Amino acid sequence: MGLKNDEYDVIIIGAGIGGLTCGCYLAKAGLKVLIVEQHHKAGGCCTSFKRKGFTFDATTHYLGGFRENGILRKIYDELELNKKVEIIRFDPTNVVIFPEHKIRIWNNLDKTVSELQENFKDEADNIKRFFKFICDSEFASLYVKLKNKNMSFENLLDSYFKDHRLKAIFGIFLANIGLPPSRASAFAVVVLFREFIFDGGYFPKGGAQAFSDAFVERFKEWGGEIILGEEVQKIVINGSGVRGVVIDGDKFISSKKVVSNGDATNTFIELVGKDHVPAVFECEINNLEVSPSAFIVYLGLNTNCSATLEHPCTWSYFFNETYNIENAFAGLNRKEKPYMEDTFFCFFPSSHDSLLAPNNNDIVTLMVPAIMTNNNFWSKNKNYLAEKLIKKAENLIPNLSNSVIVNETATPLTINKYTLNRAGGAGWASTPLQIYRNAMPSETFIKGFYLVGHWVTQGVGQGGISTVAYCGKNVASSIIKNLNIGNTYK
């Protein structure tokens, strides 16, 4: 295994962006840090894979929170990742296509507001007020108005708008978190809009893997060690505190602190073990609702299809024949078709980054929110569903079926296999009662043991890569203070 040390200040389980961020700040502060990742590459959900000259991003389609002084931009600057990976931006970042409307989300918010007002003239003043509330309010004010009242996003939309079509356009963005407006926390969704929808479209040149690899390079330069392709089998507890981890069957590695960037259920039930987990806590964690997963189709094309689009963008929404968002999300509860059938998403990453596809070729990624079911369902139906999505996408991309030279799929089972995330999900569902900090805090009841990433409830719900990176930074700060080491960053 070739480890430099027998004992570490901190061992981090999982090299997702939360764990990588945490590791970088700890190593930068001079601590001896080891990251152990079960996959053969770092990044978690923020990874890429190659097929026949095409580079496909596994689940990440773009970054948010990258404006000047934005959450992720600060981390990018503080860790000097600008020297490792270039960030480009799409404009428009999203195109929402409904039966009667096509709305673009521009980098310039005023331009987005104007486009919505032009399409919904009777709601023009309400649109202006809604955007002002989301984008200009202080977080403390949002907390009081939304979070403390357990308000749903549907409640918030109803307080501003009457037109059901306009509410549907805002509501479809919740496919990012897999919940209908009636069940999603208004506070969590407002944060999602601020940090991901209205400040989105940022893309690491070379793909998601280039972004994750930049963290790894920085981490190593500051003296950190990383083991890939090795799974932690046990977190060793002595009394009420953590002692280290066991990997490679029986190899014990000692550590003062342990941080898990992995699935929280697996972390506590399997790695910590039921002997060290109170029965009440075990019951609570098993009863927490996991966000839906996804079914994804990765297509490599022998043509440059994005050149024919009016606005090639990162994510195009298609919503067929109806504005009934609640019904669209209800499809996730079907046993016979556990995916959203009326909605699908198109990504066009190579339209802005020529490094991802061979010359005059293109990449299209199709996705629908889906839930895990038995292996049998996905093995029987994944090819059928892929063909169905390709046919639907031909309304946007003519002759798509005849242009495909690479066709790969990922089901919730695939995502579970490579991330070990419970049900292939992307963290806890952002319902009003599940976003509170004490639902699954980063500092656990076990002394010296922390959680980081999207299985931590930070009070804001799911927010993508920017929020897991922010969590990683905060956990690193807590550990540095706990070990009485001078903080080298603010």
Side-chain angles (χ1 to χ4, degrees), residues 181-207:
S182 63
R183 297 197 60 234
S185 159
F187 184 74
V189 175
V190 166
V191 173
L192 178 77
F193 270 71
R194 283 173 64 137
E195 300 298 327
F196 186 69
I197 306 301
F198 297 154
D199 185 32
Y202 302 95
F203 190 80
K205 200 162 186 180

Side-chain angles (χ1 to χ4, degrees), residues 30 126 163 187 199 203 235 271 297 320-321 353 356 380 386 407 415 427:
N126 295 331
D163 195 313
F187 184 74
D199 185 32
F203 190 80
I235 297 170
L271 301 186
V297 182
N320 298 329
E321 308 274 324
D353 187 354
L356 302 180
K380 284 184 176 180
N407 185 336
I415 297 170

Side-chain angles (χ1 to χ4, degrees), residues 323-446:
Y323 286 88
N324 193 327
I325 295 294
E326 292 291 324
N327 278 355
F329 280 94
L332 287 170
N333 298 320
R334 297 175 309 211
K335 290 184 179 179
E336 71 281 5
K337 292 182 180 180
Y339 53 86
M340 286 179 69
E341 192 169 25
D342 296 324
T343 302
F344 78 96
F345 316 105
C346 289
F347 307 81
F348 302 94
S350 57
S351 65
H352 294 274
D353 187 354
S354 60
L355 297 175
L356 302 180
N359 193 33
N360 295 321
N361 286 196
D362 224 337
I363 291 174
V364 172
T365 305
L366 311 176
M367 191 203 82
V368 290
I371 61 172
M372 182 180 281
T373 183
N374 56 66
N375 288 318
N376 215 21
F377 174 85
W378 288 112
S379 62
K380 284 184 176 180
N381 293 283
K382 65 180 181 179
N383 291 334
Y384 161 77
L385 181 53
E387 290 175 8
K388 186 176 179 180
L389 288 176
I390 291 170
K391 287 296 182 185
K392 281 189 175 185
E394 287 191 327
N395 291 312
L396 182 66
I397 312 164
N399 203 37
L400 175 62
S401 300
N402 296 326
S403 303
V404 176
I405 56 177
V406 176
N407 185 336
E408 295 274 348
T409 61
T411 73
L413 294 166
T414 313
I415 297 170
N416 169 260
K417 174 183 177 181
Y418 287 104
T419 66
L420 301 184
N421 282 345
R422 176 172 155 188
W428 305 117
S430 295
T431 61
L433 295 178
Q434 283 197 174
I435 67 168
Y436 287 97
R437 292 180 186 275
N438 60 359
M440 191 62 60
S442 59
E443 190 164 356
T444 75
F445 56 84
I446 299 170

Side-chain angles (χ1 to χ4, degrees), residues 57-64 89-98 101-107 115 169-179 192-193 195-203 292-297 306 309-319 329 340 342-352 363-370 389 393 396-397 426 462-465:
D57 290 335
T59 59
T60 301
H61 58 285
Y62 67 66
L63 307 176
R89 196 179 188 192
F90 301 78
D91 193 25
T93 59
N94 295 284
V95 177
V96 186
I97 302 175
F98 275 79
H101 298 93
K102 181 169 71 174
I103 304 296
R104 293 158 294 190
I105 305 300
W106 300 93
N107 295 348
E115 183 155 330
I169 287 170
F170 284 115
I172 195 59
F173 284 102
L174 273 63
N176 284 287
I177 59 175
L179 291 175
L192 178 77
F193 270 71
E195 300 298 327
F196 186 69
I197 306 301
F198 297 154
D199 185 32
Y202 302 95
F203 190 80
S293 184
F295 176 76
I296 309 170
V297 182
S306 58
L309 299 174
E310 180 184 358
H311 293 288
C313 61
T314 52
W315 197 340
S316 291
Y317 297 91
F318 252 52
F319 196 82
F329 280 94
M340 286 179 69
D342 296 324
T343 302
F344 78 96
F345 316 105
C346 289
F347 307 81
F348 302 94
S350 57
S351 65
H352 294 274
I363 291 174
V364 172
T365 305
L366 311 176
M367 191 203 82
V368 290
L389 288 176
L396 182 66
I397 312 164
Q462 292 181 48
I465 288 189

